[in-house]
Amino acid sequence: LLHNKRNINNSFKNVFWINSDISKLYFAHNSYDLIVASDFIQHINGHTRKLEIIKNLTDSLKPKGSFYLSFFNFNILHYFRGDRIGKFDGIKYERLILSEVENIITDKININSIIFQIFHIPWLDKFLSKFRIFRFLARWIIICGEKK
């Protein structure tokens, strides 16, 4: 939903664009058919606030609505480097832990798939995603699901 508004609103029915700080927004429960939260949640300040935003996003989905969330994973390499919180090109981040995210969403979302990005080789990453043990190597995670 967060996007720079361009002259694209005429192309989509029942779609609106919001250009705002998501940490200051609240979405009404059971309001949306689709939530795509792509690669931003790790940049929200405050661990608790990140989890609250994820919960609000799942609450805002209508029953049977589709949910897609991607985020930087805190993997074993980051653990040994002490790299959970940091900056990259001046942009702050805090990597999330998959099990924490799952604990927040599983009461409302049926998870259809969890895809790990490990090697930047799509067919290999997709194959390895079938085995949960590889979550400890994943740099980036995508969760796909549907609201119960």
Side-chain angles (χ1 to χ4, degrees):
L1 289 180
L2 301 180
H3 190 341
N4 271 333
K5 186 176 179 180
R6 292 181 229 142
N7 293 326
I8 57 176
N9 278 346
N10 296 335
S11 303
F12 300 98
K13 302 288 184 216
N14 299 320
V15 172
F16 62 94
W17 305 98
I18 301 168
N19 185 8
S20 184
D21 179 349
I22 195 166
S23 67
K24 296 177 182 172
L25 294 176
Y26 173 80
F27 299 104
H29 289 200
N30 300 317
S31 299
Y32 300 99
D33 297 309
L34 170 67
I35 298 287
V36 178
S38 180
D39 212 16
F40 72 89
I41 200 74
Q42 64 272 358
H43 301 295
I44 301 295
N45 287 327
H47 188 71
T48 302
R49 186 66 186 130
K50 286 176 185 44
L51 303 179
E52 288 170 350
I53 290 169
I54 293 169
K55 183 180 181 321
N56 180 235
L57 290 172
T58 60
D59 288 343
S60 69
L61 268 177
K62 292 178 182 177
K64 303 292 182 190
S66 297
F67 180 78
Y68 300 90
L69 171 68
S70 65
F71 58 89
F72 293 176
N73 184 45
F74 184 58
N75 67 25
I76 193 81
L77 180 60
H78 303 127
Y79 173 81
F80 286 116
R81 286 185 186 163
D83 183 23
R84 181 163 186 191
I85 298 172
K87 278 186 179 181
F88 182 76
D89 284 343
I91 301 171
K92 294 179 184 178
Y93 64 83
E94 177 186 8
R95 301 176 195 281
L96 283 87
I97 297 173
L98 175 59
S99 59
E100 286 183 324
V101 175
E102 286 178 304
N103 288 339
I104 292 168
I105 68 173
T106 51
D107 63 325
K108 295 193 174 70
I109 302 290
N110 288 321
I111 297 174
N112 298 329
S113 65
I114 299 176
I115 302 167
F116 307 140
Q117 183 193 50
I118 302 168
F119 298 110
H120 295 282
I121 302 170
W123 68 267
L124 181 57
D125 288 342
K126 188 173 182 180
F127 174 75
L128 294 175
S129 294
K130 296 177 183 182
F131 308 99
R132 286 204 47 97
I133 190 70
F134 287 104
R135 73 183 180 275
F136 297 112
L137 298 176
R139 293 181 267 186
W140 188 55
I141 291 182
I142 304 169
I143 299 175
C144 308
E146 179 181 270
K147 182 135 182 208
K148 296 178 181 179

